[in-house]
Amino acid sequence: MTWAMNNRTGHWHHSGSTLIGALISMLILSIGMGALFSMYINNTQNSAHSRHVTAALTYARARIETLRFDSGTNKLPLSGSEQLQDNNTLFQRSWLTRENSSQDTRHITVTMRWQDSSGEHQITLETMINTATATDLAFLEP
Amino acid sequence: MTILANTYQRGLATLLFCMILLSSATTLVFTLARTSLAEHRIMANEYRSETRHLACETGLEYARAWLLNNEPAWQIDTDGHYTLSVPLPTDLLQQNSGIRVQIRYRRQDLNSPFIQIQVQASRDNHALYNIAQFVHYQPGNQNNTLARVLVVPGTWHDLGNE
């Protein structure tokens, strides 16, 4: 940067300051944009994770409900695993039931596993059902 | 003077352009972050609510199964209601570690067939969720040993975290 006096006005000015100013601005802008981009990526990942957990909860809940109402007919195996495609994400749904014949109860655990850009994730839901539902139904009959 | 003015204005324009661009991008990303945070909170609430709700449902199902398979020994409490003291199995909930389930059985009098089952899910002695359900109970007898427990439709209550 060089400083020179304007002959007509007598003011000092520096030539090349516009270029350096622009470069500094570009530097600040690029640092700021970099930080913002990183934040944007983070937000996108968090948003995708939330969406995946919500979808996984829905699938897990659906399996629990199926097992609850299937307790009389036993169409579904007591334990199993299957893959589900939701948009671009592949979910692994596994369920395990444990009978307690002395109390007429069945313990159900459903685990959802999936993988996304931030790694592997899983959620587990568990509940218990009363397998003596048929007794209730019989009671309804006149 | 004209040359000087133009020189300064070019720098100012660049600076202003960069600042406007940066502040617009910042606003955009922060708005996105707020949306993302709200989404995350909704998801976390849903997950917590689901696990608590299922814990309570577990208690309700266990209570019904217990009434079917056991001879209840009713005790009168200070309010004049009949209650039951039933120990819960330790493996009632395996995965939801930290969530504790408590079941209360209440009956107006011994002649009434209706039993209110109240289930509370709690963590660290802090109530998370409460539900209640009335069941119609018919005890087994010597001729027909099977007891019958029927859920009374429309009596399921979500008591929240009272």
Side-chain angles (χ1 to χ4, degrees):
Chain A
M1 191 193 310
T2 55
W3 290 85
M5 183 180 275
N6 188 298
N7 291 334
R8 284 194 297 166
T9 60
H11 289 152
W12 287 93
H13 71 275
H14 45 93
S15 58
S17 63
T18 311
L19 177 65
I20 289 172
L23 284 173
I24 291 170
S25 296
M26 289 284 280
L27 183 71
I28 294 169
L29 186 70
S30 58
I31 292 170
M33 290 297 265
L36 288 175
F37 184 71
S38 140
M39 216 169 142
Y40 171 77
I41 295 292
N42 204 15
N43 282 337
T44 311
Q45 279 181 353
N46 282 344
S47 186
H49 179 64
S50 302
R51 216 169 41 245
H52 292 150
V53 172
T54 308
L57 270 175
T58 309
Y59 286 129
R61 198 163 33 204
R63 181 42 36 103
I64 283 178
E65 290 306 313
T66 314
L67 287 164
R68 189 192 297 278
F69 291 106
D70 193 48
S71 61
T73 56
N74 290 321
K75 281 178 193 162
L76 272 173
L78 291 178
S79 61
S81 183
E82 63 188 352
Q83 289 193 327
L84 300 157
Q85 182 82 32
D86 184 90
N87 292 330
N88 294 322
T89 312
L90 192 66
F91 289 95
Q92 177 85 29
R93 177 165 69 180
S94 328
W95 67 96
L96 183 72
T97 55
R98 188 169 49 83
E99 296 275 353
N100 184 347
S101 52
S102 63
Q103 289 289 348
D104 283 337
T105 54
R106 186 179 290 165
H107 193 273
I108 303 172
T109 309
V110 180
T111 305
M112 297 293 303
R113 288 189 187 85
W114 71 97
Q115 195 164 18
D116 59 20
S117 56
S118 60
E120 270 189 48
H121 306 279
Q122 77 165 54
I123 59 156
T124 303
L125 291 183
E126 65 167 340
T127 192
M128 184 183 274
I129 57 166
N130 176 6
T131 51
T133 318
T135 313
D136 286 350
L137 295 174
F139 190 49
L140 281 171
E141 289 168 5
Chain B
M1 184 64 189
T2 313
I3 295 164
L4 271 176
N6 280 345
T7 306
Y8 286 129
Q9 277 170 14
R10 272 204 296 274
L12 191 67
T14 314
L15 182 66
L16 279 175
F17 177 74
C18 287
M19 281 178 71
I20 289 167
L21 200 66
L22 201 58
S23 56
S24 312
T26 309
T27 313
L28 200 72
V29 170
F30 270 82
T31 311
L32 189 73
R34 278 183 62 186
T35 314
S36 173
L37 191 67
E39 230 175 7
H40 191 78
R41 279 181 181 159
I42 291 167
M43 175 274 288
N45 274 341
E46 194 183 350
Y47 184 49
R48 275 197 297 266
S49 157
E50 190 63 36
T51 48
R52 292 165 188 183
H53 175 80
L54 283 175
C56 281
E57 283 290 334
T58 299
L60 207 56
E61 294 281 314
Y62 179 81
R64 288 175 56 207
W66 190 90
L67 284 171
L68 273 172
N69 291 285
N70 295 276
E71 190 97 5
W74 296 96
Q75 293 168 337
I76 194 157
D77 68 0
T78 50
D79 297 336
H81 291 107
Y82 287 88
T83 58
L84 280 178
S85 174
V86 179
L88 288 174
T90 50
D91 62 343
L92 194 65
L93 291 171
Q94 297 170 327
Q95 302 290 328
N96 296 337
S97 54
I99 294 186
R100 194 163 158 259
V101 175
Q102 282 176 295
I103 307 173
R104 281 192 295 179
Y105 304 77
R106 287 181 76 188
R107 199 175 187 182
Q108 290 280 354
D109 60 73
L110 290 178
N111 294 322
S112 168
F114 297 106
I115 299 172
Q116 191 193 34
I117 302 169
Q118 267 189 38
V119 185
Q120 183 185 72
S122 61
R123 183 184 281 135
D124 301 329
N125 293 325
H126 177 68
L128 302 171
Y129 205 65
N130 283 279
I131 59 170
Q133 169 89 67
F134 272 97
V135 293
H136 184 281
Y137 175 65
Q138 184 182 312
N141 54 41
Q142 287 179 344
N143 300 326
N144 177 16
T145 51
L146 283 177
R148 280 170 172 174
V149 177
L150 174 69
V151 169
V152 181
T155 59
W156 190 96
H157 285 294
D158 178 353
L159 304 173
N161 56 355
E162 291 171 357

